Amino acid sequence: MLRPIARLLIVLTLAAGCASAPEVQPPVAAQRPTVLEQHGHTRIDEYYWLRERENREVIAYLEAENAYLKQAMQHTEPLQERLYEEIVSRIPQRDESVPTLRNGYFYYTRFEEGKEYPIYARRKGSMTAAEEVMLDVNVLAEGQSYFNVTGVSVSHGNDILAFATDNVGRRKYTIRFRNLTTGEMLPDEIPLVSGNLAWANDNRTLFFTRRHPDTLRSYRVFRHELGTDPAADALVFEEEDETFSTFVFRTKSKRYIVIGSAQTLTSEYRYLDADQPHSELRVFEPRQRGREYSIDHYGDHFYIRTNDDARNFRLMKTPVAATGRQNWTEVIPHRADVYLGGFEIFRDHLVVSERKDGLIRLRVMPWSGGADHYIPFDEPAYVARIGDNPEFDTPLLRFTYSSLTTPSSTYEYDMNRRERTLLKRTAVGGGYDPAHYRTERTYATARDGKRVPVSILYRDGFRKDGSAPLLLYAYGSYGASRDPSFNSAVISLVDRGFVYAIAHSRGGQELGREWYEEGKLLQKKNTFTDYIDVAGHLLAQKYGDPDNLFGYGGSAGGLLMGAVVNMRPDLFKGVIAAVPFVDVVTTMLDATIPLTTFEYDEWGNPADRQFYDYMLSYSPYDNVEAKEYPHLLVTTGLHDSQVQYWEPAKWVARLRARKTGPQRILLHTNMDAGHGGASGRFRRQKETALMYAFLLDLAGR
């Protein structure tokens, strides 16, 4: 590789311009050409050096970009402050989750006024008992610019709390323990873990997954016994295939500890008796490429959700003593038009989550063989999910529901009486009244004839005359469906006349497994063209102003934004690409980067010439050209472990060097955070306010 020495040139000078939006000269990153060769093909990457995380010049460049962003957006700072205050005003200052009964205690989280982080608490026996504060994350986070807690879990004996903390944002967690009887922190600390953990039933043994120090792949499962040196923890399982990651959980029955290994196309499980944490692991069913399955336990059987001979998945069961595939029998058959999602087991009922025509349905099935039924939902676009249901012996199903107009709601549903009770609907301040908002579901015809679902939100008084600014969001990867759930922040755009729409492009799983498979690997471009075709449909139907169309996507959705601005830059006035995966080929060729090997079956392995050529044909960074691009706001986090900061940084630098036209390219790097942005429920809204100000400024609102 060639890396000529060159000087990083950073220019930050004010130039002549209008008073409200002064022209500012952006930073210029030095070009240090690096030769990258693959399959006899040579690429020149002039910004490859920005990968040098410890290089002071790299940090200086990122800081200069932040300074440029601040100057370029300075005229919007009063708007940003108003937006921030609006968004925060809709977040309940004091809030509390619906309590969940586990092993004799009611567990819940709550927030106090002005506090950024949750308090984990419980009450013994009933909600009238004295509160026990298990963990106040606000105290732990004092003095930290970033802080996150995950994996909060109480031991089988109710007296030991395990939790994992990260104060950088790179998702390298440390497990810590608290004695809930005395309140003291135990000396056991386990670093470099994923935050995924499971207690055995002996009240002293914890199973956890450890990350690879470089790739951050969860690849080892260990067993820790309280009071022992973590350095001596026993290795229980190691996943040697670098395309797989591993995880651990305890079945709902509390009978088994399960260790899973999974990648995009294949999964495999091992299990042991939770009462005997030193017992030998048993393979549930050996992995077979292309076969996915997941398991839970009830009575004398394991239940298995699998795509074995079932593209849209089916539900099977097998005796505990005979878990091999040859013993599986069918509970719910495969259906070509219905995608089987998750399932929940109760003593008298089985509940399954299904997708049909892009919407989630919750189906209740009595074990007695009586008639099954679906829980009715009335809105045209919504999301309903099985909630937290740790108890077997109950006729009550906990589920959550929301829509673009209905805040997150927790219901308790009596499966015998077919009656539901609203336990909580998240309070939304700031004068929000759902009666003033409308949601629609429509379909756009893609260029190959497929019908792409679209969810739409607007305020009453909206006229479908092509005059409204329109923000179109999408994701479209990993089979992750972006359902139309409530987002209180986006109300600040809709109240200012924006129409907000979600394109349910291929690559997600809204219309079943086929919808996902047609948006990955050598069909990935369907995700991009679907999005473009949805935009065209919405404009043709007068939902938005062709001169005020905006795009937004993050992570793999940021790849989508990068691809579509290369393909159709003329469509958009402005685009937000959050933590975008834009340097596809170079990243997928580097197995040392976190997540790379795990994703060969999502994007393809560029070591194969066929995939290399296809990925190269759409990779946003590799297809930047000398043409006019829309205004762009690009965000990243210095400690991002999923999309490394240098991808958006390089992309912005190349766009600046090659683009024509006066449109601005802005880069915001959170120097204290990772993929999820700032921590804290209020602080993170500063970044939201910045993004919305970018859009509103361009739309003249």
Side-chain angles (χ1 to χ4, degrees), residues 245-418:
S245 289
T246 191
F247 53 94
V248 61
F249 65 93
R250 187 171 60 174
T251 58
K252 181 175 178 177
S253 66
K254 302 181 179 65
R255 284 277 305 278
Y256 298 99
I257 298 292
V258 180
I259 294 174
S261 285
Q263 46 101 282
T264 306
L265 296 176
T266 309
S267 51
E268 179 184 57
Y269 290 84
R270 291 166 170 79
Y271 65 102
L272 56 82
D273 190 328
D275 290 330
Q276 301 179 46
H278 290 263
S279 60
E280 185 176 349
L281 276 176
R282 290 168 282 180
V283 176
F284 189 90
E285 167 64 17
R287 68 187 65 178
Q288 176 180 311
R289 182 168 174 78
R291 180 168 61 208
E292 299 174 61
Y293 70 96
S294 58
I295 64 174
D296 205 349
H297 166 257
Y298 175 53
D300 297 328
H301 290 85
F302 282 104
Y303 287 79
I304 310 114
R305 172 185 172 269
T306 182
N307 68 343
D308 188 43
D309 293 328
R311 189 180 197 179
N312 273 336
F313 289 80
R314 57 179 172 161
L315 189 67
M316 315 285 281
K317 70 176 183 178
T318 193
V320 166
T323 62
R325 168 66 184 83
Q326 66 275 15
N327 303 301
W328 297 2
T329 58
E330 195 168 73
V331 179
I332 300 177
H334 174 260
R335 290 154 293 170
D337 62 340
V338 178
Y339 175 79
L340 177 65
F343 65 95
E344 189 75 52
I345 300 170
F346 297 88
R347 186 192 67 183
D348 297 326
H349 298 86
L350 170 67
V351 180
V352 295
S353 174
E354 303 175 343
R355 283 187 181 272
K356 183 176 174 60
D357 298 327
L359 293 175
I360 296 174
R361 308 186 303 177
L362 300 184
R363 180 183 181 190
V364 179
M365 307 173 65
W367 291 117
S368 64
D372 60 340
H373 68 276
Y374 291 91
I375 300 175
F377 303 115
D378 301 325
E379 294 183 275
Y382 63 86
V383 54
R385 303 192 191 282
I386 298 172
D388 191 8
N389 293 274
E391 299 294 315
F392 270 113
D393 191 8
T394 176
L396 302 176
L397 165 72
R398 185 79 58 87
F399 73 88
T400 61
Y401 175 92
S402 77
S403 73
L404 292 174
T405 60
T406 304
S408 179
S409 308
T410 301
Y411 285 91
E412 199 164 67
Y413 181 74
D414 190 312
M415 294 179 281
N416 292 326
R417 297 182 178 182
R418 302 191 182 187

Side-chain angles (χ1 to χ4, degrees), residues 3 101 133 282 291 371 374 401 441 451 561 594 607 621 663:
R3 187 172 294 176
L101 179 63
V133 173
R282 290 168 282 180
R291 180 168 61 208
Y374 291 91
Y401 175 92
R441 183 79 155 189
R451 297 176 73 238
M561 295 300 104
Y621 183 66
Q663 290 80 2

Side-chain angles (χ1 to χ4, degrees), residues 682-694:
F682 301 128
R683 184 165 49 187
R684 69 181 58 201
Q685 303 306 334
K686 291 284 187 183
E687 296 176 355
T688 306
L690 170 66
M691 292 190 292
Y692 287 3
F694 170 79

